Amino acid sequence: QVQLVESGGGLVQAGGSLRLSCATSGRTFSKYPMGWFRQAPGKEREFVAAINWSGSITYISDSVKGRFTISRDNAKNTMYLQMNSLKPEDTAVYYCAAGSVATNPYAYAYWGQGTQVTVSS
């Protein structure tokens, strides 16, 4: 069983930055590919980024490319999402997930509880 806990969300002005963290339990963190998704009110869960088990391959959604960076530290059992140049349309609950690098959320076996990111204009 893998447990995921997100942190780092909050309220930020447009143009600002936040770094989200996803801490995991268990000794098998380094075996799992992982991803970040987000969900705004009234919208479907949207793929943001994904990373392979070693961190050598990353995938970024076109909507955040050039602004967001995904990374992981297997020694710390933690994945990160660095978000720069934030826009009001980035406002959503952000979720980390484990088990895939797919853009389809149903491909992921484990999910965190989510952290709110609000970007004011």
Side-chain angles (χ1 to χ4, degrees):
Q1 186 73 9
V2 176
Q3 293 184 324
L4 311 176
V5 179
E6 302 95 336
S7 62
L11 174 64
V12 64
Q13 288 188 332
S17 298
L18 284 174
R19 188 175 81 156
L20 304 183
S21 298
C22 175
T24 71
S25 64
R27 295 174 292 179
T28 58
F29 170 77
S30 63
K31 296 182 181 180
Y32 288 93
M34 300 186 70
W36 287 99
F37 286 77
R38 65 186 183 186
Q39 189 165 20
K43 294 188 176 181
E44 294 185 350
R45 195 161 293 192
E46 175 191 14
F47 171 81
V48 176
I51 190 167
N52 74 332
W53 68 273
S54 67
S56 62
I57 301 173
T58 62
Y59 306 87
I60 303 291
S61 167
D62 287 344
S63 62
V64 304
K65 192 169 292 183
R67 301 187 297 120
F68 291 13
T69 303
I70 187 172
S71 62
R72 66 191 295 164
D73 185 339
N74 287 345
K76 296 182 178 180
N77 288 352
T78 303
M79 177 180 65
Y80 304 98
L81 185 68
Q82 178 66 44
M83 305 186 295
N84 299 329
S85 302
L86 282 161
K87 304 175 181 180
E89 50 263 44
D90 294 320
T91 295
V93 177
Y94 283 71
Y95 298 90
C96 67
S100 179
V101 291
T103 59
N104 187 337
Y106 291 100
Y108 292 76
Y110 304 101
W111 290 86
Q113 82 289 348
T115 185
Q116 177 71 47
V117 172
T118 303
V119 184
S120 63
S121 57

